[in-house]
Amino acid sequence: MSWKKDEDSDDLGALMNLDHSVVLQEARVFNETPIRPRQSRLLLAKIVFLLYRGDSMSTTEATNLFFSITKLFQCKDMSLRQMVYLTIKELSTISEDVIMVTSSLMKDMQPTSEITYRANAIRALCKIVDPSMLPGIERFLKAAIVEKSATIASSSLVSSLHLFNEAKDVVRRWGNEVSEALNGKSLSQGSSFFGSSSSQGQVVSTSNIVQYHAIGLLYAIRQHDRMAVLKLVQSFSGQKSGGWMGGGSSSALRSNAAHVMLIRYAVRVMESDSSLAPQLHGLLEEWIRHRSDMVSLEAARAVCQLKDVSDKQLTAAVNALQLFLSSPKAVVRFAAIRTLNVLARTHPEAVQPCNVDMEGLITDSNRSVATFAITTLLKTGNEASVERLMKQMQGFMAEISDEFKIIVAEAVRSLCGKFPSKHGLFLGFLSGVLRDEGGYEFKRAAIEAIVDLAKHVGECREVALGHLCEFIEDCEFTKLSVRVLHFLGEEGPATARPTVYIRHIYNRVVLENAVVRAAAVSALAKFGAAPRADAALQRSVRVLLARCLDDRDDEVRDRAAWGLRMTAADQTRARYVRDDSTFSLAVLERRLVAYCADPHAKSARFDFAAVPRISRAQEEETRHRVRLDAMDQVLTGSTLPATQAAGAKEDAPKSAGAGAEEADRAAQYARQLAAIPELAAFGERPLVSSQRAAELTEAETEYVVRCVKHVYERHIVFQFDVTNTIAEQVLEQVEVAMESDDIDGLLQPVVAMAIPVLRYDAPAAAYVAFERLTEDAVAASFACTLKFIVKECDPATGEPEEGDDGFDDDYSLEAVDLGPGDFMLATYIPDSDTLWESLAESESVETFALSSFSSIEECVAKVCDLLNMCPLDNALAPRSKAAHKAAFTGKWLGHAKTVARTRMAYQKGAGVTMELAVRSEDPAVSELVVSAIA
């Protein structure tokens, strides 16, 4: 029988048109005798394709199909057997009684079987085995890990890594075998469980993939033991005995991929323990000089992404990346220029020595490399080179994908703030790309760049608005039309000729869909409600809004009616249009979801007063931060690790954009406290909760303790979050003893709640509550001691040893201070200027000489932290090093509105001189807030 390929056939199309029921009918061929290997193999490929395509299969169908496939084990055809293994693995998650095939798989794992059989049988067996049955095959897997065949060893290591999530305790016992595979001993000498070293004439693989898989599994086993991970990094770092870890001989890693993983583990150790950063940074510099491009690039990238890295520490990494820019391999050039592109955002001066090399890449045949080169040059270049680079960039915009067009648009957007005098050049480029073909994300990035220019460069506002008006005349994306119309409504009324933009906006009401028409109506209403709108303009806008009352869409008619009513009353305009505050949308969404999910809450109206309000500047800063995070994904291909991202947020100074995050954190604390009956009696929720936990221990100590303070109407609750970092110990009856220096006895202890059991790496909270015997704020300092019972335990199970009664122990903590700032709720107050004028009689003013501060920026950050108030505008970003003014708002105990204003002057050698003025609805509060500095 001959077979000839039909050149007109479309194999992919045939696969895409596979019918689920037809394939199941064809599966009857598995029951035929004799077995037809080729037909069975093609049918198995169809079944796997259906599963990968997402077709659903009932449990009965999958089970019947599974047991039909098991009959194919009678055939010795190697290609068919490989497809059988693959199909069994895919069906194992939806079939029943899959464990019945274990005996067949175990037979294929015997030394008399082919290597290909044995490796694939291990993968399939580990996929279908139940964790409770794992001890029964443990000896097989441990022996396979140290097998001389790289195929078998690698399959065992990868399968063990998959099993680790389900059976951690069992896999942890294989650490010695994994270490042996990592050291490469099993590949050169000795016999294996499956047979002698000379059996079957096995060919020892020269591949080093076993080390890559072994180091991944070994890290998974040791990842919660920082010292064990540190020892792993040191043992394969190439250092000899007597190094900074002391003792031990170094081992060699032959796998470049394993070296890359080792570098990543070293970085994680540096992030978790900053005291080891200097020594490990030396290792990274050694790896930068590695002979493999892959390892050297990874080490350089790791150094560039370290937090708080200095320009001096970056020198070696930048020099290596500069050499890679001239590599003949396009992938190496791409990796190097992308790393430099990300580094240029935070350390442009460190990247400047590479400018000459990057200019040579502008004409690179790989357009991706050229895009990164020119965008990096835009970040590191000077004003004189911008125009030349922009002209070069226009030449290849049509040749690159939308993903890289977005990067270009974002680079131009960053330049808008750096070189505002070049606004004409930037606007010309951005308006040109808007007329070209492109997807939504690319057009959105260009629009946002134009919006930024219009906001921050007043000279080009009207020109930028004109380009936006031109864009919406032929815009295919509804979301972008809505965005532009909203911006026109915000900025258009403040221009010299607002009627120009009204014409473009009203055209959208006539020509567009309902969503765009509704946005256009809202924009028209803003023109009529603007403070600069004269009677003629208001009259014209009202005529246009009246025409919209006949629109066929309900939303458009409702907005038109609202606009007519709003433009007719000054009080309504001030409330809805001129208000510079808005709700924190993230918090509002979560509160609404909780409200709709609670059947008992629906009987009452939703409490909008409980949703924090933020300024427009805060909202814009939050969006800016989200945009930067999105750009990190585009530029680096990944996000920060969760721990690093959380650490960055925790260590960052309080900013105007942190209001939503603080509100979310306060809501989470309120839910935790309400679930404890003893604390729920103090009130429905705390009036004030700490915005940042106070660290009472070092991060590297045996026990890590953080304190959060919660202030109620008459009570103060101290929440101590405790983490046990010793795997061999379990703590019981963990409590914090607090001794106050309050000599007046204004604080009375009422509740002390201990942690019953504290296991390794499982944080828990202990609570201590005091009653305030006065309505005034209380300032006190508390000496704290952690007390507990220590019991030895098995690190694998976390259970204490039998018969171990343990022993009492204690651990000294840092003191906890209670001050006026702990009674202040940092919140944004709209129209704070008007409030300030109305509270003139309650003002308290004090001047301070703060000689310990070396800059105004340092001083204002500390003042904000002590007052615990919300900074307004650019309070935390002084524009001058000599003088600065800052304003803060908050609510005392969540009720009394308070405004603080500071004037600072810095003189070298004398420090900062600051005048602090505070006004509050409660006159006594003004003096208390001033005392927070004193």
Side-chain angles (χ1 to χ4, degrees):
M1 180 178 179
S2 62
W3 177 81
K4 181 180 179 181
K5 181 178 178 181
D6 184 1
E7 296 180 356
D8 296 329
S9 65
D10 186 355
D11 295 336
L12 181 59
L15 284 175
M16 295 303 295
N17 294 323
L18 281 178
D19 184 76
H20 176 86
S21 58
V22 172
V23 173
L24 292 181
Q25 289 292 329
E26 292 178 359
R28 295 177 181 177
V29 73
F30 299 148
N31 299 319
E32 295 180 1
T33 304
I35 295 173
R36 291 184 283 179
R38 183 178 180 278
Q39 186 176 354
S40 299
R41 188 173 66 250
L42 292 175
L43 186 55
L44 289 174
K46 292 180 181 180
I47 294 171
V48 172
F49 180 81
L50 287 175
L51 294 172
Y52 286 172
R53 194 174 68 178
D55 288 23
S56 59
M57 189 177 295
S58 67
T59 303
T60 303
E61 291 175 339
T63 303
N64 294 335
L65 186 59
F66 182 86
F67 283 102
S68 297
I69 293 172
T70 57
K71 298 178 181 179
L72 300 179
F73 277 101
Q74 301 172 22
C75 182
K76 300 300 182 180
D77 185 86
M78 186 174 294
S79 299
L80 176 60
R81 186 66 63 88
Q82 287 181 308
M83 285 303 303
V84 169
Y85 291 135
L86 180 60
T87 312
I88 283 176
K89 288 197 297 181
E90 297 303 323
L91 291 174
S92 62
T93 57
I94 52 180
S95 304
E96 294 180 344
D97 301 326
V98 294
I99 206 67
M100 300 296 290
V101 80
T102 303
S103 59
S104 298
L105 295 174
M106 292 289 290
K107 182 179 178 181
D108 284 350
M109 291 169 57
Q110 298 306 312
T112 56
S113 302
E114 294 287 342
I115 293 178
T116 307
Y117 283 7
R118 289 151 61 182
N120 287 299
I122 290 172
R123 294 190 180 96
L125 182 62
C126 292
K127 180 72 173 180
I128 67 174
V129 73
D130 187 86
S132 62
M133 300 179 61
L134 190 57
I137 63 170
E138 181 179 359
R139 63 191 183 96
F140 290 91
L141 295 176
K142 290 172 65 176
I145 289 173
V146 295
E147 172 65 27
K148 291 193 304 178
S149 168
T151 305
I152 297 175
S154 181
S155 63
S156 302
L157 289 166
V158 174
S159 300
S160 302
L161 190 58
H162 289 307
L163 288 170
F164 183 76
N165 294 328
E166 300 177 359
K168 290 184 173 65
D169 297 338
V170 178
V171 178
R172 281 196 180 103
R173 297 200 292 262
W174 307 346
N176 292 336
E177 286 76 12
V178 178
S179 297
E180 186 176 343
L182 180 59
N183 290 320
K185 297 177 182 177
S186 59
L187 299 180
S188 58
Q189 59 186 14
S191 61
S192 71
F193 174 82
F194 293 103
S196 65
S197 60
S198 60
S199 65
Q200 299 184 11
Q202 293 188 113
V203 177
V204 177
S205 173
T206 58
S207 171
N208 297 313
I209 194 66
V210 173
Q211 285 191 324
Y212 171 63
H213 293 149
I215 199 170
L217 179 57
L218 194 61
Y219 175 76
I221 294 173
R222 299 180 178 180
Q223 60 184 330
H224 295 298
D225 188 346
R226 187 171 64 249
M227 296 306 297
V229 176
L230 186 60
K231 186 176 181 181
L232 172 66
V233 173
Q234 187 270 342
S235 62
F236 291 99
S237 64
Q239 293 186 350
K240 303 300 181 182
S241 59
W244 55 272
M245 279 291 295
S249 60
S250 63
S251 302
L253 280 181
R254 296 178 299 278
S255 169
N256 292 330
H259 262 114
V260 169
M261 298 305 296
L262 195 67
I263 292 170
R264 296 179 181 178
Y265 301 151
V267 171
R268 293 178 188 176
V269 173
M270 295 172 70
E271 292 171 353
S272 61
D273 189 349
S274 58
S275 64
L276 298 174
Q279 298 94 323
L280 289 176
H281 190 274
L283 291 182
L284 291 178
E285 290 190 349
E286 289 184 14
W287 281 318
I288 289 174
R289 297 188 291 271
H290 196 275
R291 63 179 179 274
S292 168
D293 291 347
M294 178 195 303
V295 177
S296 182
L297 279 168
E298 180 65 26
R301 188 185 67 87
V303 171
C304 293
Q305 292 185 349
L306 288 176
K307 189 169 64 173
D308 300 328
V309 64
S310 64
D311 288 345
K312 183 178 179 181
Q313 292 173 324
L314 286 170
T315 303
V318 173
N319 289 341
L321 293 172
Q322 186 175 7
L323 293 176
F324 286 133
L325 292 179
S326 57
S327 171
K329 300 177 182 178
V331 66
V332 174
R333 297 197 304 274
F334 177 81
I337 192 61
R338 187 173 71 165
T339 303
L340 289 172
N341 188 285
V342 176
L343 180 63
R345 283 182 47 194
T346 54
H347 296 81
E349 299 85 3
V351 183
Q352 283 179 352
C354 305
N355 281 3
V356 175
D357 300 87
M358 289 188 291
E359 287 189 12
L361 294 179
I362 294 177
T363 57
D364 194 279
S365 58
N366 188 304
R367 294 289 84 185
S368 302
V369 173
T371 303
F372 272 120
I374 201 164
T375 52
T376 308
L377 284 168
L378 288 173
K379 296 175 184 177
T380 60
N382 52 35
E383 191 169 358
S385 63
V386 167
E387 187 170 355
R388 173 173 53 85
L389 292 172
M390 294 289 289
K391 289 180 179 178
Q392 288 180 298
M393 194 158 50
Q394 286 176 330
F396 63 81
M397 284 296 290
E399 302 175 23
I400 59 178
S401 63
D402 273 12
E403 181 181 9
F404 289 100
K405 287 180 180 179
I406 293 172
I407 295 174
V408 171
E410 291 292 343
V412 173
R413 184 177 182 179
S414 64
L415 284 176
C416 295
K418 188 176 180 181
F419 305 121
S421 61
K422 295 288 184 180
H423 59 79
L425 178 65
F426 299 143
L427 276 178
F429 173 80
L430 293 170
S431 62
V433 299
L434 284 179
R435 289 189 287 269
D436 297 336
E437 293 294 326
Y440 166 76
E441 289 295 336
F442 165 55
K443 294 293 182 71
R444 184 195 61 80
I447 288 294
E448 293 300 331
I450 294 177
V451 167
D452 272 4
L453 265 175
K455 281 185 176 179
H456 302 118
V457 184
E459 296 86 351
C460 70
R461 177 183 301 172
E462 295 192 10
V463 178
L465 294 179
H467 287 307
L468 293 177
C469 290
E470 179 185 350
F471 171 71
I472 60 174
E473 291 292 339
D474 188 26
C475 177
E476 58 183 316
F477 302 107
T478 298
K479 289 185 178 180
L480 293 183
S481 294
V482 172
R483 172 71 175 116
V484 171
L485 288 168
H486 172 77
F487 184 68
L488 290 174
E490 293 289 332
E491 299 293 332
T495 59
R497 298 173 58 196
T499 54
V500 173
Y501 311 108
I502 292 178
R503 175 173 59 84
H504 289 280
I505 294 173
Y506 188 70
N507 285 344
R508 301 306 97 212
V509 177
V510 178
L511 303 173
E512 292 286 356
N513 57 49
V515 176
V516 178
R517 295 201 306 272
V521 168
S522 296
L524 286 174
K526 292 178 181 178
F527 276 84
R532 296 181 57 178
D534 54 23
L537 180 60
Q538 289 185 353
R539 192 162 50 250
S540 300
V541 170
R542 290 179 61 82
V543 169
L544 297 178
L545 291 174
R547 293 178 182 175
C548 299
L549 293 175
D550 297 328
D551 194 276
R552 58 183 178 275
D553 185 77
D554 293 344
E555 178 71 16
V556 177
R557 294 196 302 271
D558 290 345
R559 292 197 184 195
W562 173 80
L564 286 169
R565 181 176 178 182
M566 179 193 62
T567 54
D570 290 337
Q571 185 176 1
T572 308
R573 285 201 298 270
R575 181 178 180 184
Y576 291 107
V577 177
R578 299 175 186 172
D579 186 6
D580 64 341
S581 66
T582 183
F583 287 113
S584 173
L585 296 182
V587 179
L588 177 61
E589 180 184 13
R590 279 187 276 277
R591 298 279 174 87
L592 286 172
V593 170
Y595 176 79
C596 295
D598 186 358
H600 303 291
K602 294 180 180 179
S603 58
R605 296 181 61 184
F606 181 78
D607 185 14
F608 281 97
V611 181
R613 298 183 71 87
I614 59 176
S615 67
R616 303 288 181 183
Q618 287 177 303
E619 184 183 32
E620 183 62 29
E621 184 177 340
T622 302
R623 289 178 178 173
H624 178 69
R625 191 166 60 248
V626 171
R627 180 178 63 82
L628 291 181
D629 292 341
M631 278 309 300
D632 282 334
Q633 287 183 305
V634 173
L635 294 176
T636 64
S638 62
T639 56
L640 287 173
T643 53
Q644 183 178 344
K649 287 183 181 180
E650 190 69 28
D651 296 337
K654 185 191 302 180
S655 65
E661 297 172 5
E662 293 165 0
D664 286 346
R665 197 178 303 118
Q668 181 181 358
Y669 287 144
R671 288 192 297 271
Q672 294 175 355
L673 297 172
I676 304 173
E678 294 89 340
L679 305 180
F682 299 158
E684 181 180 354
R685 60 187 298 126
L687 301 177
V688 183
S689 290
S690 301
Q691 296 180 9
R692 187 182 303 176
E695 303 287 347
L696 303 187
T697 61
E698 298 291 336
E700 302 81 18
T701 55
E702 301 93 325
Y703 315 110
V704 179
V705 184
R706 308 168 72 196
C707 178
V708 180
K709 290 165 276 189
H710 308 284
V711 178
Y712 288 84
E713 194 72 45
R714 302 292 301 178
H715 297 82
I716 300 173
V717 176
F718 296 89
Q719 173 183 329
F720 297 93
D721 295 324
V722 188
T723 303
N724 173 22
T725 64
I726 303 178
E728 295 77 14
Q729 289 183 358
V730 59
L731 310 183
E732 296 183 356
Q733 297 303 314
V734 183
E735 61 180 1
V736 178
M738 302 182 68
E739 295 183 6
S740 172
D741 63 355
D742 175 29
I743 59 177
D744 297 327
L746 299 178
L747 294 173
Q748 183 70 34
V750 290
V751 174
M753 299 183 61
I755 303 172
V757 179
L758 184 64
R759 303 188 187 279
Y760 166 70
D761 201 26
Y767 297 90
V768 179
F770 290 83
E771 181 182 3
R772 284 193 299 133
L773 303 181
T774 175
E775 294 183 358
D776 298 329
V778 180
S781 181
F782 298 85
C784 301
T785 304
L786 187 69
K787 297 185 176 182
F788 47 85
I789 299 174
V790 181
K791 291 186 178 181
E792 300 294 330
C793 71
D794 181 1
T797 62
E799 296 297 330
E801 299 177 359
E802 294 184 9
D804 184 5
D805 296 331
F807 59 90
D808 294 332
D809 199 359
D810 58 65
Y811 192 85
S812 297
L813 306 176
E814 295 288 338
V816 175
D817 296 322
L818 184 68
D822 295 310
F823 297 84
M824 181 68 71
L825 176 63
T827 184
Y828 175 74
I829 299 177
D831 200 9
S832 59
D833 293 336
T834 304
L835 178 64
W836 175 265
E837 297 299 333
S838 65
L839 300 176
E841 297 181 358
S842 63
E843 184 177 53
S844 179
V845 183
E846 191 72 42
T847 302
F848 302 91
L850 308 174
S851 58
S852 60
F853 292 107
S854 58
S855 69
I856 287 181
E857 187 174 0
E858 179 188 359
C859 179
V860 73
K862 184 64 176 178
V863 169
C864 182
D865 188 54
L866 289 174
L867 298 181
N868 195 29
M869 300 178 75
C870 176
L872 302 181
D873 300 329
N874 296 316
L876 299 182
R879 297 182 178 178
S880 170
K881 296 182 179 180
H884 179 58
K885 292 182 179 180
F888 309 88
T889 61
K891 293 182 179 180
W892 182 260
L893 289 176
H895 301 306
K897 295 180 180 179
T898 306
V899 183
R901 291 185 174 182
T902 65
R903 293 191 300 172
M904 302 179 184
Y906 172 73
Q907 186 175 2
K908 189 174 182 179
V912 178
T913 302
M914 180 185 73
E915 179 189 77
L916 173 63
V918 181
R919 298 180 183 181
S920 176
E921 292 179 337
D922 184 349
V925 170
S926 300
E927 296 182 3
L928 288 172
V929 173
V930 171
S931 68
I933 305 297

